[in-house]
Amino acid sequence: MKKIALIMDGWKRWFTFAWPAGILQRIRQTGEEVSLYIFNSSGGWSCDEEYNTGEYNIYRLPNLREFDGIILDLNNIGYPKVREDVIRRAKESGVPVISIANEIEDFYYVGINNEKAMRMMIEHLYEKHGCKKYWFVMGPEDNYENVKRIAALRAYMDEKQLTYSESDFYCESFEYQCGVNGFEKLLETHDKGRLPQAIICGNDNIAVGVCEAATAHGYQVPKDFCVTGFDNFDKAAYYEPRISTISHIRENVGIACVDLFLHIWKGEKPDRFYYTDTEGIFWDSCGCMPGEVPDQAEYLKGQVMYGIETARFEDEVFSLEYELLKCNTVREMMYCIPQCIPSLKCDAMYLILDSHMDTYKE
């Protein structure tokens, strides 16, 4: 039986389901005897530093030498020391390590080819819509994927001899507010009479923020300028105007990780970089008219049901936490937890307790 450790940090409070979903899908397809161990933290969303430290301590739980492969998704960790410690321990394990969407020395890389994907977007704007003047509202300056995307944009403009300056770029985060702040800043920096022909954004969140800020100033997309995103989130398809974007199936990253390990375990020497596919989706925000229109009614129904199920799940978790706080002994906890397992839809639940808890056993 092979063992894979997946070490990841949530996007704020949200768990990244795509990676384990793809990994488990591929394991089932191959019929290989492989177990997946997930060590997930939500250490980046709270303002309580001590809480975040406690969250990140889960990374110290596994002995990584006991695994046959390690997968790291460290892109959401906001604490450099935590990230560096995980990388150090992974290197010292002596087992093959895959880094998702981030190039780390000595590790394999699985993810999209960001340079190729972003080139696809600016090439479409240049060739199809004749755009030559751009603004760029991008993600964090030190983010690997953001760096690669900006490099691709600069390379393409240099190749086509398009003029640009540092004042055409705004970098902040991958959040909606970055789009609002970026548009406001670029509008303030440039003469309002010299708007760009297109604003290229680091992702769909940013693109929606740009569109909202532009609307507040009386501009219309794509009448006054095109706007593009990246990632093909739901908001790209269901926002008005629909956002032209780059699509990639995230589950394919997990599938690729398993395939890479299978090659390594067989003694093969695969390439260090393993890229998953991307596709350009060109919609209203750049002036294109797609042949297929997303089903708005079905999407809204799904969102309503998701909200209902999420609220119910959170109520059940709060109930579990409340009941556990009333327990005075480990034995009482043992009786309390199984009562909540059916509603949480899990096969089993385990508590990892300090050895001093033995003192409180009846």
Side-chain angles (χ1 to χ4, degrees):
M1 173 72 74
K2 298 291 188 182
K3 296 166 58 178
I4 296 175
L6 172 59
I7 297 177
M8 54 193 286
D9 195 18
W11 180 257
K12 295 192 174 179
R13 286 186 294 176
W14 307 110
F15 184 87
T16 306
F17 289 98
W19 313 147
I23 292 168
L24 294 173
Q25 176 186 332
R26 191 58 176 151
I27 290 172
R28 295 188 188 102
Q29 289 174 342
T30 61
E32 298 284 340
E33 292 187 352
V34 180
S35 292
L36 175 65
Y37 294 76
I38 302 174
F39 302 92
N40 181 74
S41 167
S42 296
W45 73 276
S46 175
C47 294
D48 186 337
E49 295 292 325
E50 293 183 353
Y51 173 89
N52 292 342
T53 299
E55 280 285 311
Y56 283 131
N57 277 338
I58 193 173
Y59 298 155
R60 298 176 179 272
L61 181 63
N63 179 355
L64 297 179
R65 291 185 174 88
E66 296 178 352
F67 291 86
D68 301 284
I70 302 167
I71 302 173
L72 303 180
D73 175 12
L74 308 182
N75 295 314
N76 296 329
I77 296 179
Y79 293 72
K81 289 184 178 180
V82 173
R83 187 166 54 246
E84 291 165 7
D85 184 63
V86 173
I87 293 172
R88 177 187 59 78
R89 294 178 63 239
K91 288 184 177 181
E92 292 175 353
S93 71
V95 303
V97 182
I98 295 173
S99 175
I100 292 178
N102 194 356
E103 183 181 349
I104 300 175
E105 186 180 4
D106 299 327
F107 296 165
Y108 291 95
Y109 171 95
V110 171
I112 63 172
N113 186 327
N114 285 277
E115 292 164 299
K116 178 181 177 182
M118 188 54 88
R119 180 184 176 90
M120 184 192 313
M121 180 58 74
I122 191 171
E123 187 172 60
H124 172 81
L125 292 170
Y126 180 80
E127 298 288 348
K128 177 73 174 180
H129 301 289
C131 297
K132 296 181 179 179
K133 176 61 179 175
Y134 301 88
W135 288 352
F136 308 93
V137 185
M138 307 298 290
E141 289 184 326
D142 60 349
N143 177 271
Y144 173 81
E145 292 194 297
N146 190 65
V147 169
K148 291 294 184 181
R149 293 173 192 179
I150 290 178
L153 294 169
R154 292 180 185 274
Y156 186 85
M157 289 188 290
D158 289 340
E159 177 185 318
K160 298 298 181 181
Q161 297 183 329
L162 300 176
T163 59
Y164 64 93
S165 68
E166 293 303 315
S167 64
D168 297 327
F169 290 83
Y170 179 88
C171 293
E172 182 184 324
S173 72
F174 285 122
E175 302 294 343
Y176 163 88
Q177 194 60 40
C178 171
V180 176
N181 296 342
F183 182 80
E184 296 287 352
K185 181 63 177 179
L186 291 170
L187 192 63
E188 175 187 323
T189 303
H190 296 77
D191 185 345
K192 291 186 179 181
R194 300 181 60 188
L195 291 170
Q197 293 171 291
I199 302 177
I200 296 178
C201 301
N203 72 355
D204 299 332
N205 292 332
I206 298 172
V208 171
V210 165
C211 289
E212 287 292 300
T215 300
H217 282 274
Y219 299 115
Q220 297 180 30
V221 177
K223 180 180 178 181
D224 294 307
F225 43 78
C226 301
V227 173
T228 67
F230 201 108
D231 285 328
N232 195 24
F233 293 147
D234 284 349
K235 56 178 62 66
Y238 296 99
Y239 183 73
E240 180 62 40
R242 290 166 291 187
I243 305 295
S244 294
T245 187
I246 297 293
S247 176
H248 53 102
I249 300 173
R250 293 160 190 79
E251 286 76 6
N252 285 348
V253 170
I255 292 172
C257 287
V258 174
D259 287 340
L260 192 53
F261 278 138
L262 292 177
H263 288 303
I264 294 169
W265 293 336
K266 291 177 182 177
E268 300 173 11
K269 294 183 179 180
D271 292 337
R272 184 186 169 203
F273 292 89
Y274 199 127
Y275 295 117
T276 56
D277 294 334
T278 56
E279 177 187 4
I281 306 293
F282 306 114
W283 278 331
D284 308 358
S285 70
C286 72
C288 289
M289 298 301 294
E292 296 184 9
V293 178
D295 189 334
Q296 297 274 3
E298 188 64 25
Y299 176 74
L300 290 173
K301 178 182 176 182
Q303 289 297 101
V304 169
M305 295 310 300
Y306 175 77
I308 293 171
E309 292 171 1
T310 299
R312 181 166 54 195
F313 176 78
E314 290 178 346
D315 287 344
E316 291 167 350
V317 172
F318 291 148
S319 176
L320 172 60
E321 292 176 345
Y322 175 72
E323 295 299 329
L324 286 175
L325 287 173
K326 294 193 299 182
C327 295
N328 295 313
T329 67
V330 175
R331 184 178 295 276
E332 289 181 9
M333 295 172 70
M334 290 170 59
Y335 284 110
C336 173
I337 292 172
Q339 304 303 316
C340 301
I341 288 178
S343 60
L344 294 178
K345 299 179 181 179
C346 56
D347 297 325
M349 185 179 294
Y350 300 89
L351 286 181
I352 300 173
L353 304 174
D354 189 287
S355 59
H356 292 92
M357 290 293 291
D358 287 337
T359 309
Y360 299 95
K361 285 186 177 180
E362 291 184 350

